[in-house]
């Protein structure tokens, strides 16, 4: 099970963001590229390795499967974990405002 409040990888963060709408692998990679404004390119190896781990941790689950693709969805635990990471990152950015003080 995932540990809410612990820092997560950039890949995991963007996968959970992408899965706020149920999605399969290729569309997840495209959505991550869109969400990151082209900064994060998620390769299949990274994506599918992370999906396997995140499924075991209960952050995502398989919504449906056909012959060619599996569609995943974020779980309630995944949403809690995503929002906890979002709050952690916001706090860090707020704290780092001291860099703009001169």
């Amino acid at each position: 099970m995932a540990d809410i409040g612990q820092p997560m990888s950039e890949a995991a963060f963007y996968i959970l963001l992408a899965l706020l709408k149920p999605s399969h692998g290729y569309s997840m990679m495209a959505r991550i590229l869109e969400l990151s404004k082209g900064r994060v390119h998620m390769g299949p190896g990274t994506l599918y390795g992370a999906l396997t781990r995140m499924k075991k941790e209960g952050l995502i689950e398989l919504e449906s499967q056909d012959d060619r693709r599996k569609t995943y969805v974020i779980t309630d635990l995944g949403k809690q974990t995503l929002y906890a990471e979002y709050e952690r990152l916001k706090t860090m950015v707020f704290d780092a405002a001291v860099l703009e003080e001169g």
Side-chain angles (χ1 to χ4, degrees), residues 52-99:
T52 299
R53 181 185 51 76
M54 294 168 81
K55 189 174 176 226
K56 287 179 186 174
E57 292 176 349
L59 300 173
I60 64 172
E61 61 189 16
L62 190 60
E63 182 183 63
S64 64
Q65 180 175 358
D66 63 28
D67 290 341
R68 295 180 18 176
R69 50 177 96 160
K70 296 178 180 180
T71 299
Y72 293 91
V73 65
I74 191 171
T75 63
D76 287 340
L77 177 61
K79 287 178 187 175
Q80 291 171 358
T81 304
L82 177 62
Y83 281 101
E85 179 67 356
Y86 173 63
E87 290 300 323
R88 187 186 75 78
L89 293 171
K90 281 193 332 186
T91 299
M92 288 176 60
V93 169
F94 179 78
D95 293 345
V98 68
L99 294 171

Side-chain angles (χ1 to χ4, degrees), residues 9 11-12 15 42 44-55 60:
S9 70
I15 290 168
M42 183 85 54
T46 301
L47 177 67
Y48 290 107
L51 290 174
T52 299
R53 181 185 51 76
M54 294 168 81
K55 189 174 176 226
I60 64 172

